[in-house]
Amino acid sequence: FFINKTAIFLLSQTLICLSVTLSLKAWSALQAGGSVLDAVEKGCARCEADQCDGSVGFGGSPDERGETTLDAMIMNGNTMEVGAVGDLRRIKNAIGVARAVMERTDNTLLVGESASVFAENMGFTAEDLTTNKSISIFTQWLKDNCQPNYRKNVSPDPSQYCGPYKPGATLRQKRKRQIDIHAHDTIGMIVIGKDGQVAAGTSTNGANHKVPGRVGDSPIAGAGSYADSTAGGAAATGDGDVMMRFLPSYLAVELMKTGTDPSTACKTSISRIKIHYPGFFGAVICANTTGHYGAACNKVPGFSKFNFVVYNSKTKSPLLQSVDCF
């Protein structure tokens, strides 16, 4: 299952994700005898290479210094093992590094420069993640006085000026969050194998113009995605800084474990966030081990419908689905 305003889900061999192309790549991995983890990795890796929607992979979402960094995670629903990377620099294949963290260490999450050094030691190629497009985005942002940005309670006034910033004299009311439905996307995938094994994964280059060092929800188990072979899987997309506070993917899977249908589980996860942040941008997709699936999204200006892709042994081809936001 992929998320990026589109998703994919595989079951019995089934897959849910956000892209037809990625679903084909993941499905091919399963048909070739690969594991559900192989399918998640290959599907997300394809999106990273293709720079899906500009929100995944190299050359997108430059931070305040103009650098693109990547977040990714993969989860094994049989063993509950997780591998993840955040603020990854110089390495294009973030999902591959995340899997290496899971399979080559006893750790769960590596971040920043140390994660990049680990990747290089594991044989991943160091490359410049900057492109002409990302340079253009960054240059225009500087011309626009660094608007929008994610700073608050600092000096000079971040709503009018660029940094460097220092702490403001007083803590004022929080700034009104500006919603950009193209600034927070993630690719998410849930794969359910023919024997009921569940795997999930995510990959993203984060939020446009983020504060350097920022890590979003995508590499956080239970936030970006979650898998449990006794119940199913879930993945989320949207404003990660808000969504990670509520672990929507974990909540959805736990609800499915008690018998809640996937659509209701997704909607409940979204509703929990709406109580505190009614104007947040986000969506969740869910699939259980019986092959049922669903999705839910919060309705905001410019985002009234969420699209995802389902691929399973019944459809035998990518099937585009959509759900109305509420």
Side-chain angles (χ1 to χ4, degrees):
F1 145 42
F2 280 116
I3 306 179
N4 216 22
K5 294 191 298 289
T6 318
I8 270 188
F9 147 84
L10 300 178
L11 174 89
S12 231
Q13 299 187 314
T14 303
L15 171 134
I16 295 183
C17 70
L18 295 174
S19 156
V20 171
T21 301
L22 305 190
S23 68
L24 291 170
K25 188 70 173 180
W27 187 257
S28 295
L30 286 178
Q31 295 302 295
S35 68
V36 290
L37 291 170
D38 294 333
V40 169
E41 181 184 1
K42 291 185 181 299
C44 289
R46 176 61 184 270
C47 198
E48 292 170 347
D50 289 350
Q51 302 169 282
C52 291
D53 200 30
S55 62
V56 179
F58 68 101
S61 302
D63 63 17
E64 288 183 343
R65 295 185 298 216
E67 183 178 14
T68 293
T69 58
L70 309 179
D71 299 341
M73 73 157 281
I74 189 168
M75 183 167 186
N76 183 336
N78 279 359
T79 64
M80 308 308 289
E81 291 176 295
V82 175
V85 289
D87 191 29
L88 182 69
R89 308 172 66 194
R90 301 191 305 278
I91 309 295
K92 290 183 178 181
N93 184 11
I95 190 68
V97 181
R99 187 170 182 181
V101 172
M102 181 175 68
E103 297 182 340
R104 307 293 181 182
T105 81
D106 286 328
N107 300 133
T108 294
L109 171 64
L110 299 182
V111 299
E113 180 63 19
S114 295
S116 302
V117 172
F118 166 80
E120 292 174 29
N121 290 340
M122 291 296 103
F124 291 86
T125 303
E127 303 176 77
D128 187 358
L129 303 187
T130 301
T131 62
N132 290 336
K133 181 178 180 180
S134 66
I135 292 173
S136 176
I137 293 172
F138 177 61
T139 301
Q140 185 60 52
W141 181 71
L142 292 176
K143 290 179 180 179
D144 292 338
N145 294 321
C146 303
Q147 303 301 312
N149 61 64
Y150 295 91
R151 303 282 185 164
K152 65 181 181 181
N153 299 319
V154 294
S155 178
D157 184 352
S159 67
Q160 300 182 53
Y161 304 106
C162 295
Y165 301 104
K166 296 181 179 180
T170 59
L171 293 179
R172 296 171 292 177
Q173 290 185 336
K174 63 183 181 180
R175 293 173 60 186
K176 182 178 180 181
R177 298 182 67 91
Q178 296 179 317
I179 298 175
D180 182 354
I181 64 173
H182 301 292
H184 298 278
D185 282 347
T186 298
I187 193 68
M189 175 178 278
I190 302 166
V191 179
I192 303 176
K194 59 184 179 181
D195 295 323
Q197 321 97 306
V198 181
T202 59
S203 184
T204 183
N205 53 33
N208 264 328
H209 319 307
K210 57 184 176 281
V211 177
R214 180 262 190 186
V215 174
D217 64 325
S218 295
I220 306 302
S225 64
Y226 197 73
D228 184 338
S229 295
T230 68
T237 187
D239 187 343
D241 291 293
V242 168
M243 297 182 75
M244 69 192 301
R245 302 167 191 173
F246 299 88
L247 298 178
S249 296
Y250 172 77
L251 175 59
V253 173
E254 287 298 294
L255 288 169
M256 289 190 291
K257 186 180 292 187
T258 65
T260 303
D261 69 89
S263 293
T264 301
C266 283
K267 191 169 184 178
T268 300
S269 290
I270 293 293
S271 296
R272 184 75 59 88
I273 304 172
K274 283 170 66 85
I275 294 173
H276 300 277
Y277 298 92
F280 88 100
F281 159 62
V284 177
I285 188 166
C286 306
N288 64 23
T289 53
T290 65
H292 295 90
Y293 56 88
C297 50
N298 188 39
K299 187 175 182 179
V300 295
F303 185 62
S304 60
K305 189 182 293 289
F306 176 71
N307 299 318
F308 59 99
V309 176
V310 177
Y311 204 145
N312 59 33
S313 54
K314 293 182 179 179
T315 63
K316 295 184 179 180
S317 62
L319 181 63
L320 180 63
Q321 302 277 285
S322 64
V323 61
D324 292 326
C325 301
F326 70 99

mmCIF file of all heavy atoms in Angstrom, residues 206-250:
data_model
loop_
_atom_site.group_PDB
_atom_site.id
_atom_site.type_symbol
_atom_site.label_atom_id
_atom_site.label_comp_id
_atom_site.label_asym_id
_atom_site.label_seq_id
_atom_site.Cartn_x
_atom_site.Cartn_y
_atom_site.Cartn_z
ATOM 1 N N GLY A 206 10.561 14.277 3.097
ATOM 2 C CA GLY A 206 10.133 15.178 4.156
ATOM 3 C C GLY A 206 9.399 16.407 3.675
ATOM 4 O O GLY A 206 8.851 16.458 2.580
ATOM 5 N N ALA A 207 9.405 17.420 4.522
ATOM 6 C CA ALA A 207 8.661 18.650 4.265
ATOM 7 C C ALA A 207 9.544 19.691 3.588
ATOM 8 O O ALA A 207 10.706 19.869 3.955
ATOM 9 C CB ALA A 207 8.113 19.213 5.581
ATOM 10 N N ASN A 208 8.981 20.385 2.622
ATOM 11 C CA ASN A 208 9.694 21.467 1.962
ATOM 12 C C ASN A 208 10.142 22.510 2.979
ATOM 13 O O ASN A 208 9.358 22.931 3.834
ATOM 14 C CB ASN A 208 8.783 22.156 0.937
ATOM 15 C CG ASN A 208 8.986 21.612 -0.459
ATOM 16 O OD1 ASN A 208 10.089 21.216 -0.823
ATOM 17 N ND2 ASN A 208 7.920 21.588 -1.237
ATOM 18 N N HIS A 209 11.395 22.947 2.900
ATOM 19 C CA HIS A 209 11.939 24.035 3.711
ATOM 20 C C HIS A 209 11.945 23.708 5.203
ATOM 21 O O HIS A 209 11.887 24.608 6.044
ATOM 22 C CB HIS A 209 11.156 25.335 3.463
ATOM 23 C CG HIS A 209 10.806 25.571 2.030
ATOM 24 N ND1 HIS A 209 11.754 25.557 1.016
ATOM 25 C CD2 HIS A 209 9.599 25.780 1.412
ATOM 26 C CE1 HIS A 209 11.152 25.778 -0.151
ATOM 27 N NE2 HIS A 209 9.859 25.910 0.069
ATOM 28 N N LYS A 210 12.030 22.430 5.519
ATOM 29 C CA LYS A 210 12.078 22.018 6.925
ATOM 30 C C LYS A 210 13.324 22.540 7.616
ATOM 31 O O LYS A 210 14.337 22.849 6.973
ATOM 32 C CB LYS A 210 12.035 20.493 7.019
ATOM 33 C CG LYS A 210 13.146 19.767 6.259
ATOM 34 C CD LYS A 210 12.959 18.263 6.325
ATOM 35 C CE LYS A 210 14.004 17.509 5.491
ATOM 36 N NZ LYS A 210 13.666 17.534 4.064
ATOM 37 N N VAL A 211 13.247 22.620 8.938
ATOM 38 C CA VAL A 211 14.416 22.975 9.738
ATOM 39 C C VAL A 211 15.437 21.844 9.602
ATOM 40 O O VAL A 211 15.079 20.671 9.738
ATOM 41 C CB VAL A 211 14.024 23.164 11.213
ATOM 42 C CG1 VAL A 211 15.263 23.457 12.066
ATOM 43 C CG2 VAL A 211 13.000 24.292 11.354
ATOM 44 N N PRO A 212 16.694 22.142 9.301
ATOM 45 C CA PRO A 212 17.693 21.085 9.160
ATOM 46 C C PRO A 212 17.721 20.174 10.392
ATOM 47 O O PRO A 212 17.710 20.639 11.532
ATOM 48 C CB PRO A 212 19.004 21.868 9.021
ATOM 49 C CG PRO A 212 18.583 23.150 8.379
ATOM 50 C CD PRO A 212 17.261 23.482 9.003
ATOM 51 N N GLY A 213 17.742 18.872 10.130
ATOM 52 C CA GLY A 213 17.711 17.897 11.214
ATOM 53 C C GLY A 213 16.327 17.368 11.515
ATOM 54 O O GLY A 213 16.174 16.399 12.263
ATOM 55 N N ARG A 214 15.305 17.985 10.929
ATOM 56 C CA ARG A 214 13.930 17.540 11.174
ATOM 57 C C ARG A 214 13.723 16.133 10.657
ATOM 58 O O ARG A 214 14.115 15.780 9.549
ATOM 59 C CB ARG A 214 12.946 18.494 10.500
ATOM 60 C CG ARG A 214 11.471 18.154 10.681
ATOM 61 C CD ARG A 214 10.901 17.411 9.488
ATOM 62 N NE ARG A 214 9.433 17.290 9.570
ATOM 63 C CZ ARG A 214 8.688 16.595 8.713
ATOM 64 N NH1 ARG A 214 9.269 15.946 7.710
ATOM 65 N NH2 ARG A 214 7.383 16.520 8.850
ATOM 66 N N VAL A 215 13.070 15.295 11.459
ATOM 67 C CA VAL A 215 12.649 13.954 11.062
ATOM 68 C C VAL A 215 11.145 13.885 11.256
ATOM 69 O O VAL A 215 10.634 14.255 12.319
ATOM 70 C CB VAL A 215 13.345 12.869 11.916
ATOM 71 C CG1 VAL A 215 12.788 11.489 11.583
ATOM 72 C CG2 VAL A 215 14.849 12.905 11.683
ATOM 73 N N GLY A 216 10.438 13.438 10.240
ATOM 74 C CA GLY A 216 8.986 13.387 10.314
ATOM 75 C C GLY A 216 8.455 12.069 10.828
ATOM 76 O O GLY A 216 9.156 11.299 11.490
ATOM 77 N N ASP A 217 7.215 11.785 10.482
ATOM 78 C CA ASP A 217 6.557 10.572 10.985
ATOM 79 C C ASP A 217 6.935 9.328 10.205
ATOM 80 O O ASP A 217 6.828 8.208 10.713
ATOM 81 C CB ASP A 217 5.041 10.737 10.957
ATOM 82 C CG ASP A 217 4.490 10.910 9.543
ATOM 83 O OD1 ASP A 217 5.172 11.543 8.706
ATOM 84 O OD2 ASP A 217 3.372 10.431 9.268
ATOM 85 N N SER A 218 7.384 9.486 8.966
ATOM 86 C CA SER A 218 7.585 8.329 8.088
ATOM 87 C C SER A 218 8.487 7.242 8.667
ATOM 88 O O SER A 218 8.184 6.050 8.520
ATOM 89 C CB SER A 218 8.132 8.783 6.729
ATOM 90 O OG SER A 218 7.179 9.587 6.066
ATOM 91 N N PRO A 219 9.611 7.571 9.337
ATOM 92 C CA PRO A 219 10.467 6.499 9.849
ATOM 93 C C PRO A 219 10.141 6.060 11.269
ATOM 94 O O PRO A 219 10.880 5.282 11.865
ATOM 95 C CB PRO A 219 11.856 7.144 9.795
ATOM 96 C CG PRO A 219 11.592 8.581 10.104
ATOM 97 C CD PRO A 219 10.269 8.889 9.457
ATOM 98 N N ILE A 220 9.031 6.562 11.806
ATOM 99 C CA ILE A 220 8.651 6.233 13.177
ATOM 100 C C ILE A 220 7.622 5.102 13.165
ATOM 101 O O ILE A 220 6.512 5.257 12.633
ATOM 102 C CB ILE A 220 8.062 7.454 13.910
ATOM 103 C CG1 ILE A 220 9.037 8.645 13.826
ATOM 104 C CG2 ILE A 220 7.752 7.102 15.354
ATOM 105 C CD1 ILE A 220 10.406 8.375 14.393
ATOM 106 N N ALA A 221 7.999 3.958 13.743
ATOM 107 C CA ALA A 221 7.090 2.814 13.775
ATOM 108 C C ALA A 221 5.818 3.178 14.527
ATOM 109 O O ALA A 221 5.868 3.705 15.634
ATOM 110 C CB ALA A 221 7.777 1.635 14.458
ATOM 111 N N GLY A 222 4.676 2.893 13.894
ATOM 112 C CA GLY A 222 3.393 3.218 14.495
ATOM 113 C C GLY A 222 2.847 4.542 14.018
ATOM 114 O O GLY A 222 1.651 4.807 14.130
ATOM 115 N N ALA A 223 3.725 5.383 13.491
ATOM 116 C CA ALA A 223 3.304 6.665 12.937
ATOM 117 C C ALA A 223 3.236 6.555 11.421
ATOM 118 O O ALA A 223 2.166 6.494 10.827
ATOM 119 C CB ALA A 223 4.251 7.779 13.374
ATOM 120 N N GLY A 224 4.428 6.474 10.765
ATOM 121 C CA GLY A 224 4.452 6.359 9.309
ATOM 122 C C GLY A 224 3.778 5.097 8.815
ATOM 123 O O GLY A 224 2.991 5.120 7.873
ATOM 124 N N SER A 225 4.089 3.972 9.447
ATOM 125 C CA SER A 225 3.431 2.709 9.092
ATOM 126 C C SER A 225 3.586 1.729 10.247
ATOM 127 O O SER A 225 4.327 1.978 11.199
ATOM 128 C CB SER A 225 4.006 2.111 7.791
ATOM 129 O OG SER A 225 5.369 1.764 7.936
ATOM 130 N N TYR A 226 2.873 0.602 10.132
ATOM 131 C CA TYR A 226 2.924 -0.419 11.173
ATOM 132 C C TYR A 226 2.416 -1.718 10.570
ATOM 133 O O TYR A 226 1.527 -1.716 9.705
ATOM 134 C CB TYR A 226 2.054 -0.028 12.368
ATOM 135 C CG TYR A 226 2.363 -0.795 13.635
ATOM 136 C CD1 TYR A 226 3.529 -0.548 14.362
ATOM 137 C CD2 TYR A 226 1.487 -1.769 14.122
ATOM 138 C CE1 TYR A 226 3.819 -1.246 15.522
ATOM 139 C CE2 TYR A 226 1.769 -2.462 15.290
ATOM 140 C CZ TYR A 226 2.939 -2.194 15.986
ATOM 141 O OH TYR A 226 3.219 -2.887 17.145
ATOM 142 N N ALA A 227 2.994 -2.831 11.011
ATOM 143 C CA ALA A 227 2.593 -4.147 10.497
ATOM 144 C C ALA A 227 2.553 -5.156 11.633
ATOM 145 O O ALA A 227 3.442 -5.170 12.491
ATOM 146 C CB ALA A 227 3.580 -4.618 9.422
ATOM 147 N N ASP A 228 1.529 -5.978 11.630
ATOM 148 C CA ASP A 228 1.382 -7.056 12.613
ATOM 149 C C ASP A 228 0.679 -8.201 11.902
ATOM 150 O O ASP A 228 -0.485 -8.074 11.505
ATOM 151 C CB ASP A 228 0.568 -6.571 13.809
ATOM 152 C CG ASP A 228 0.461 -7.611 14.923
ATOM 153 O OD1 ASP A 228 0.635 -8.816 14.646
ATOM 154 O OD2 ASP A 228 0.185 -7.214 16.076
ATOM 155 N N SER A 229 1.377 -9.311 11.722
ATOM 156 C CA SER A 229 0.824 -10.420 10.948
ATOM 157 C C SER A 229 -0.366 -11.096 11.617
ATOM 158 O O SER A 229 -1.028 -11.929 10.992
ATOM 159 C CB SER A 229 1.920 -11.454 10.658
ATOM 160 O OG SER A 229 2.914 -10.902 9.820
ATOM 161 N N THR A 230 -0.676 -10.747 12.855
ATOM 162 C CA THR A 230 -1.884 -11.260 13.499
ATOM 163 C C THR A 230 -3.101 -10.397 13.205
ATOM 164 O O THR A 230 -4.227 -10.781 13.536
ATOM 165 C CB THR A 230 -1.711 -11.347 15.028
ATOM 166 O OG1 THR A 230 -1.631 -10.020 15.579
ATOM 167 C CG2 THR A 230 -0.473 -12.127 15.400
ATOM 168 N N ALA A 231 -2.871 -9.244 12.578
ATOM 169 C CA ALA A 231 -3.979 -8.319 12.347
ATOM 170 C C ALA A 231 -3.979 -7.703 10.952
ATOM 171 O O ALA A 231 -4.962 -7.784 10.217
ATOM 172 C CB ALA A 231 -3.957 -7.206 13.402
ATOM 173 N N GLY A 232 -2.874 -7.054 10.571
ATOM 174 C CA GLY A 232 -2.818 -6.378 9.284
ATOM 175 C C GLY A 232 -1.770 -5.284 9.297
ATOM 176 O O GLY A 232 -0.814 -5.330 10.069
ATOM 177 N N GLY A 233 -1.967 -4.279 8.469
ATOM 178 C CA GLY A 233 -1.006 -3.193 8.380
ATOM 179 C C GLY A 233 -1.685 -1.883 8.100
ATOM 180 O O GLY A 233 -2.844 -1.832 7.670
ATOM 181 N N ALA A 234 -0.968 -0.794 8.355
ATOM 182 C CA ALA A 234 -1.485 0.547 8.084
ATOM 183 C C ALA A 234 -0.319 1.451 7.741
ATOM 184 O O ALA A 234 0.831 1.192 8.116
ATOM 185 C CB ALA A 234 -2.250 1.090 9.288
ATOM 186 N N ALA A 235 -0.604 2.526 7.031
ATOM 187 C CA ALA A 235 0.399 3.526 6.698
ATOM 188 C C ALA A 235 -0.288 4.876 6.599
ATOM 189 O O ALA A 235 -1.493 4.956 6.342
ATOM 190 C CB ALA A 235 1.111 3.174 5.392
ATOM 191 N N ALA A 236 0.493 5.923 6.828
ATOM 192 C CA ALA A 236 -0.079 7.269 6.891
ATOM 193 C C ALA A 236 0.694 8.238 6.015
ATOM 194 O O ALA A 236 1.871 8.027 5.715
ATOM 195 C CB ALA A 236 -0.081 7.768 8.338
ATOM 196 N N THR A 237 0.034 9.313 5.623
ATOM 197 C CA THR A 237 0.681 10.391 4.883
ATOM 198 C C THR A 237 0.076 11.703 5.331
ATOM 199 O O THR A 237 -1.059 11.745 5.814
ATOM 200 C CB THR A 237 0.493 10.219 3.372
ATOM 201 O OG1 THR A 237 1.276 11.202 2.681
ATOM 202 C CG2 THR A 237 -0.961 10.392 2.953
ATOM 203 N N GLY A 238 0.837 12.778 5.161
ATOM 204 C CA GLY A 238 0.304 14.085 5.529
ATOM 205 C C GLY A 238 1.287 14.879 6.358
ATOM 206 O O GLY A 238 2.502 14.746 6.211
ATOM 207 N N ASP A 239 0.751 15.705 7.245
ATOM 208 C CA ASP A 239 1.558 16.565 8.094
ATOM 209 C C ASP A 239 2.162 15.733 9.215
ATOM 210 O O ASP A 239 1.576 15.539 10.275
ATOM 211 C CB ASP A 239 0.682 17.682 8.671
ATOM 212 C CG ASP A 239 1.495 18.720 9.428
ATOM 213 O OD1 ASP A 239 2.655 18.421 9.787
ATOM 214 O OD2 ASP A 239 0.975 19.826 9.666
ATOM 215 N N GLY A 240 3.359 15.231 8.964
ATOM 216 C CA GLY A 240 3.984 14.292 9.884
ATOM 217 C C GLY A 240 4.257 14.843 11.259
ATOM 218 O O GLY A 240 4.211 14.113 12.253
ATOM 219 N N ASP A 241 4.549 16.142 11.357
ATOM 220 C CA ASP A 241 4.837 16.714 12.664
ATOM 221 C C ASP A 241 3.625 16.655 13.575
ATOM 222 O O ASP A 241 3.765 16.544 14.795
ATOM 223 C CB ASP A 241 5.306 18.163 12.511
ATOM 224 C CG ASP A 241 6.682 18.245 11.866
ATOM 225 O OD1 ASP A 241 7.651 17.812 12.501
ATOM 226 O OD2 ASP A 241 6.770 18.722 10.724
ATOM 227 N N VAL A 242 2.440 16.710 12.999
ATOM 228 C CA VAL A 242 1.210 16.554 13.781
ATOM 229 C C VAL A 242 0.870 15.078 13.943
ATOM 230 O O VAL A 242 0.618 14.594 15.046
ATOM 231 C CB VAL A 242 0.040 17.294 13.102
ATOM 232 C CG1 VAL A 242 -1.296 16.888 13.731
ATOM 233 C CG2 VAL A 242 0.230 18.797 13.220
ATOM 234 N N MET A 243 0.895 14.334 12.852
ATOM 235 C CA MET A 243 0.399 12.956 12.873
ATOM 236 C C MET A 243 1.230 12.039 13.759
ATOM 237 O O MET A 243 0.703 11.130 14.407
ATOM 238 C CB MET A 243 0.310 12.420 11.448
ATOM 239 C CG MET A 243 -0.675 13.196 10.585
ATOM 240 S SD MET A 243 -0.847 12.552 8.911
ATOM 241 C CE MET A 243 -1.839 11.087 9.210
ATOM 242 N N MET A 244 2.532 12.258 13.843
ATOM 243 C CA MET A 244 3.381 11.375 14.632
ATOM 244 C C MET A 244 3.054 11.440 16.119
ATOM 245 O O MET A 244 3.389 10.534 16.878
ATOM 246 C CB MET A 244 4.855 11.700 14.386
ATOM 247 C CG MET A 244 5.308 13.031 14.945
ATOM 248 S SD MET A 244 6.941 13.521 14.328
ATOM 249 C CE MET A 244 7.966 12.173 14.870
ATOM 250 N N ARG A 245 2.392 12.488 16.538
ATOM 251 C CA ARG A 245 2.028 12.629 17.950
ATOM 252 C C ARG A 245 0.896 11.682 18.348
ATOM 253 O O ARG A 245 0.630 11.516 19.536
ATOM 254 C CB ARG A 245 1.619 14.072 18.227
ATOM 255 C CG ARG A 245 2.702 15.087 17.881
ATOM 256 C CD ARG A 245 2.195 16.507 17.849
ATOM 257 N NE ARG A 245 3.186 17.405 17.257
ATOM 258 C CZ ARG A 245 2.965 18.689 16.985
ATOM 259 N NH1 ARG A 245 1.789 19.219 17.256
ATOM 260 N NH2 ARG A 245 3.919 19.425 16.444
ATOM 261 N N PHE A 246 0.254 11.074 17.364
ATOM 262 C CA PHE A 246 -0.918 10.244 17.643
ATOM 263 C C PHE A 246 -0.752 8.779 17.214
ATOM 264 O O PHE A 246 -1.667 7.982 17.402
ATOM 265 C CB PHE A 246 -2.139 10.850 16.942
ATOM 266 C CG PHE A 246 -2.462 12.240 17.407
ATOM 267 C CD1 PHE A 246 -1.877 13.348 16.808
ATOM 268 C CD2 PHE A 246 -3.333 12.447 18.467
ATOM 269 C CE1 PHE A 246 -2.150 14.635 17.245
ATOM 270 C CE2 PHE A 246 -3.622 13.725 18.916
ATOM 271 C CZ PHE A 246 -3.033 14.824 18.303
ATOM 272 N N LEU A 247 0.387 8.437 16.615
ATOM 273 C CA LEU A 247 0.650 7.067 16.167
ATOM 274 C C LEU A 247 -0.557 6.466 15.441
ATOM 275 O O LEU A 247 -1.065 5.405 15.817
ATOM 276 C CB LEU A 247 1.034 6.188 17.360
ATOM 277 C CG LEU A 247 2.309 6.597 18.099
ATOM 278 C CD1 LEU A 247 2.556 5.671 19.289
ATOM 279 C CD2 LEU A 247 3.518 6.607 17.180
ATOM 280 N N PRO A 248 -1.015 7.102 14.368
ATOM 281 C CA PRO A 248 -2.236 6.649 13.707
ATOM 282 C C PRO A 248 -2.153 5.253 13.107
ATOM 283 O O PRO A 248 -3.145 4.524 13.104
ATOM 284 C CB PRO A 248 -2.459 7.709 12.615
ATOM 285 C CG PRO A 248 -1.085 8.257 12.350
ATOM 286 C CD PRO A 248 -0.419 8.278 13.685
ATOM 287 N N SER A 249 -0.995 4.858 12.599
ATOM 288 C CA SER A 249 -0.873 3.525 12.008
ATOM 289 C C SER A 249 -0.961 2.444 13.088
ATOM 290 O O SER A 249 -1.614 1.409 12.898
ATOM 291 C CB SER A 249 0.449 3.400 11.245
ATOM 292 O OG SER A 249 0.483 4.297 10.152
ATOM 293 N N TYR A 250 -0.306 2.680 14.220
ATOM 294 C CA TYR A 250 -0.383 1.724 15.323
ATOM 295 C C TYR A 250 -1.816 1.606 15.828
ATOM 296 O O TYR A 250 -2.318 0.493 16.043
ATOM 297 C CB TYR A 250 0.528 2.173 16.464
ATOM 298 C CG TYR A 250 0.384 1.352 17.718
ATOM 299 C CD1 TYR A 250 0.961 0.090 17.820
ATOM 300 C CD2 TYR A 250 -0.347 1.829 18.806
ATOM 301 C CE1 TYR A 250 0.826 -0.672 18.966
ATOM 302 C CE2 TYR A 250 -0.493 1.072 19.954
ATOM 303 C CZ TYR A 250 0.092 -0.173 20.033
ATOM 304 O OH TYR A 250 -0.063 -0.930 21.172
#
